[in-house]
């Protein structure tokens, strides 16, 4: 830093004392960064020996991309998790998917900038939460979401049913004996109109409620459901 870094100018509820390397914070504090800090200050803080300071930088909304990328390989897991959630660095995301801990892999699985090959790897992850993050990732390839419909764990299947665009998979789910599968299909905005019409008469009020709340529900079906016997 070319100038003195003051605690009160850097941290919310900071004091008037100067900060010093290598920690750039006072001992025992868990600092919250002020809004509008210059990139120069954020780069300095990202090199702090305090994991609490580095975590605050990783969470900082306007942290420079190169700082976030660097923190994606930080030695402290919580810092890595927050940085991997935000980074656009393909090498960092591939590393997180390949060798990261479960929370780090989960962060990579939900990042829309994670390369498709890394997402495919994470789609077969042993952890259920990681696989859910893959199928709910807005950048997940359709084939990967569709594969989630056949996942061995029901939670992954349900979330995949909420996002698939495959009408055949939605028709199969709508005819399922399992109410939850019908329910998740009923809420999918890609569900074909004739399938929604069938689900609007489902024996379960939960399924019918999902149809009514579906943004793709035709107006005539919504009017029909407005008169439903279940409140």
């Amino acid at each position: 830093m070319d100038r003195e870094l003051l605690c009160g100018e850097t941290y919310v509820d900071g004091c008037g004392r100067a900060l010093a390397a290598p920690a750039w914070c006072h001992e025992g504090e868990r600092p919250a960064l002020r809004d509008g800090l210059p990139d120069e200050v954020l780069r300095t803080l990202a090199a702090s020996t305090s994991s609490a300071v580095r975590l605050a930088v990783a969470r900082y909304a306007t942290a420079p991309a190169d700082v976030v990328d660097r923190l994606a390989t930080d030695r402290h897991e919580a810092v890595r998790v927050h940085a991997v959630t935000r980074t656009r660095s393909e090498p960092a995301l591939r590393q997180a998917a390949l060798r990261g801990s479960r929370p780090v892999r989960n962060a990579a699985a939900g990042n829309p900038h994670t390369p498709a090959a890394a997402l495919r790897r994470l789609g077969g992850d042993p952890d259920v939460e990681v696989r859910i993050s893959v199928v709910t990732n807005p950048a997940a390839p359709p084939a990967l979401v569709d594969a989630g419909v056949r996942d061995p764990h029901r939670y992954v299947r349900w979330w995949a049913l909420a996002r698939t665009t495959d009408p055949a998979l939605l028709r199969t789910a709508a005819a399922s004996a399992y109410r939850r599968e019908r329910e998740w299909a009923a809420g999918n905005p890609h569900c074909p109109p004739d399938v929604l019409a069938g689900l609007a008469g489902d024996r379960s009020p939960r399924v019918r409620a999902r149809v009514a709340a579906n943004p793709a529900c035709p107006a005539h079906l919504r009017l029909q459901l407005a008169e439903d016997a279940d409140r």
Side-chain angles (χ1 to χ4, degrees):
M1 288 290 297
D2 294 332
R3 63 177 180 80
E4 188 175 51
L5 196 58
L6 298 178
C7 180
E9 293 178 352
T10 307
Y11 300 117
V12 176
D13 299 327
C15 66
R17 291 178 291 168
L19 299 172
W24 298 109
C25 71
H26 303 312
E27 187 175 355
E29 293 184 353
R30 298 185 64 82
L33 296 174
R34 287 190 175 277
D35 292 335
L37 292 177
D39 288 356
E40 176 192 12
V41 170
L42 293 167
R43 289 192 171 92
T44 297
L45 297 174
S48 170
T49 55
S50 166
S51 60
V53 174
R54 300 196 308 277
L55 179 58
V57 175
R59 290 171 165 167
Y60 202 72
T62 59
D66 61 291
V67 170
V68 175
D69 295 347
R70 176 153 43 94
L71 292 175
T73 57
D74 193 87
R75 61 186 178 276
H76 193 276
E77 182 180 75
V79 178
R80 292 198 305 277
V81 168
H82 282 276
V84 167
T85 299
R86 302 177 56 200
T87 185
R88 297 187 176 204
S89 167
E90 291 195 1
L93 288 164
R94 281 194 291 266
Q95 179 177 330
L98 184 64
R99 291 187 291 276
S101 62
R102 187 207 64 78
V104 172
R105 298 196 312 276
N106 194 39
N111 187 322
H113 301 289
T114 297
L119 281 179
R120 283 192 291 272
R121 179 184 183 86
L122 292 167
D125 195 271
D127 188 86
V128 172
E129 288 188 16
V130 173
R131 302 200 304 276
I132 290 174
S133 292
V134 170
V135 298
T136 56
N137 187 321
L144 195 53
V145 176
D146 295 347
V149 176
R150 295 179 286 274
D151 192 272
H153 199 284
R154 64 185 184 278
Y155 290 167
V156 182
R157 294 197 301 272
W158 295 344
W159 280 108
L161 280 172
R163 295 204 61 240
T164 184
T165 58
D166 187 325
L169 292 174
L170 289 165
R171 289 182 187 280
T172 299
S176 173
Y178 297 101
R179 186 260 303 169
R180 295 301 296 269
E181 292 194 1
R182 303 196 308 277
E183 187 178 333
W184 285 79
N188 187 318
H190 299 286
C191 198
D194 63 304
V195 176
L196 284 177
L199 291 170
D202 194 274
R203 62 185 179 277
S204 168
R206 289 178 178 269
V207 174
R208 302 197 302 274
R210 283 291 186 97
V211 175
N214 190 322
C217 179
H220 72 279
L221 278 185
R222 191 165 283 120
L223 288 172
Q224 171 189 318
L225 291 165
E227 303 298 325
D228 194 272
D230 188 281
R231 64 185 176 85

